[in-house]
Amino acid sequence: MTDAPDRPNGGSSRGLWILIYCLLVPAVVVPLLVPLYDKAGPTLFGFPFYYWFQFALIIGAAILTLSAYVVSTKADARERAARLERRDRR
């Protein structure tokens, strides 16, 4: 007999939480890498690279954060189902 608990709904949510962290890390780390975008060229509609790249980072971070939120709702639902199943077994 194993000590591992049964995993409802296809497994634990640990993998989903790892995915959430992987989605959020670039949104935090890339803006901190200033040498990556500390230059004037190429320009886009007359804006130097430094400015339009920061706007692109905002949009990218918003998309990554939204994706992490959607995944977190699925992870939370899995955890709730597991808690309910454990409670019902008692």
Side-chain angles (χ1 to χ4, degrees), residues 21-89:
Y21 294 134
C22 290
L23 286 170
L24 292 176
V25 164
V28 174
V29 173
V30 173
L32 297 174
L33 301 173
V34 177
L36 178 70
Y37 56 91
D38 186 21
K39 52 188 169 184
T43 61
L44 181 67
F45 304 116
F47 289 100
F49 180 75
Y50 179 79
Y51 291 111
W52 67 260
F53 186 74
Q54 285 187 353
F55 284 120
L57 285 176
I58 292 168
I59 293 169
I63 291 169
L64 289 172
T65 304
L66 178 64
S67 302
Y69 172 74
V70 169
V71 173
S72 73
T73 57
K74 292 179 183 180
D76 190 42
R78 273 191 188 178
E79 288 175 356
R80 285 183 187 178
R83 268 187 258 132
L84 284 174
E85 186 174 312
R86 275 185 257 137
R87 190 182 74 184
D88 290 341
R89 286 184 189 172

